[in-house]
C-alpha cells in the first residue's frame, strides 16, 4: 500500500494530475470476480496499456469500441477473435478486417 509520503514524492517528481495504480490490488479484485464465467473489462473506463497488459495476464477479456481501443488492446498483447469469448471483444460496427490490419502493423 502506498503512503502519503510516497504520494508526495510521486507528485513532486511527476507533477499532478498523476494516476497511481496498485497491481496487487487489481489482481485481488480480478480474483474476486473469478466466480463468474467470463471477466470482461470495458477499456472505455481506462485504456492504459500497462493496466490492459496486467489484466490480459490475469485472463481478463477486453471490450473495444473504437479503432484506437483495438490498437491499444493489441499493443497490450490481446489477440482479436471472432467469438463473444475472444480476448478482444469488438463491441461496435468496426469491421474485423480493420482490427486485423491494425494487428499486422504492430
Amino acid at each position: 500500500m502506498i503512503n502519503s509520503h510516497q504520494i508526495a514524492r510521486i507528485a513532486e517528481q511527476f507533477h499532478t494530475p498523476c494516476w497511481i495504480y496498485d497491481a496487487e490490488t487489481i489482481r485481488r479484485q480480478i480474483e474476486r470476480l473469478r466466480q463468474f464465467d467470463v471477466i470482461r473489462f470495458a477499456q472505455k473506463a481506462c485504456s492504459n496499456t500497462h493496466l490492459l497488459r496486467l489484466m490480459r495476464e490475469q485472463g481478463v477479456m477486453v471490450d473495444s469500441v473504437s479503432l484506437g481501443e483495438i490498437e491499444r488492446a493489441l499493443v497490450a498483447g490481446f489477440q482479436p477473435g471472432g467469438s463473444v469469448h475472444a480476448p478482444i471483444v469488438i463491441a461496435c460496427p468496426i469491421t474485423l478486417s480493420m482490427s486485423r490490419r491494425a494487428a499486422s502493423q504492430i
Side-chain angles (χ1 to χ4, degrees), residues 39-59:
I39 304 170
R40 290 173 47 178
F41 178 71
Q43 75 168 293
K44 190 63 80 189
C46 180
S47 59
N48 178 305
T49 56
H50 299 286
L51 294 179
L52 293 175
R53 189 173 295 114
L54 172 67
M55 288 186 222
R56 178 187 51 78
E57 291 167 356
Q58 298 300 308

Side-chain angles (χ1 to χ4, degrees), residues 7-89:
I7 291 172
R9 283 192 4 235
I10 290 168
E12 183 179 317
Q13 181 177 354
F14 297 103
H15 308 289
T16 59
C18 181
W19 286 260
I20 302 167
Y21 301 96
D22 182 354
E24 197 51 46
T25 298
I26 293 169
R27 286 186 191 101
R28 276 195 310 272
Q29 292 298 91
I30 291 170
E31 195 56 40
R32 292 178 61 200
L33 295 171
R34 296 238 187 260
Q35 64 184 312
F36 300 102
D37 294 337
V38 177
I39 304 170
R40 290 173 47 178
F41 178 71
Q43 75 168 293
K44 190 63 80 189
C46 180
S47 59
N48 178 305
T49 56
H50 299 286
L51 294 179
L52 293 175
R53 189 173 295 114
L54 172 67
M55 288 186 222
R56 178 187 51 78
E57 291 167 356
Q58 298 300 308
V60 174
M61 297 177 189
V62 65
D63 287 351
S64 298
V65 297
S66 70
L67 184 56
E69 288 182 357
I70 292 169
E71 290 171 341
R72 283 187 290 281
L74 293 169
V75 166
F78 286 94
Q79 297 298 314
S83 73
V84 173
H85 297 297
I88 299 177
V89 178

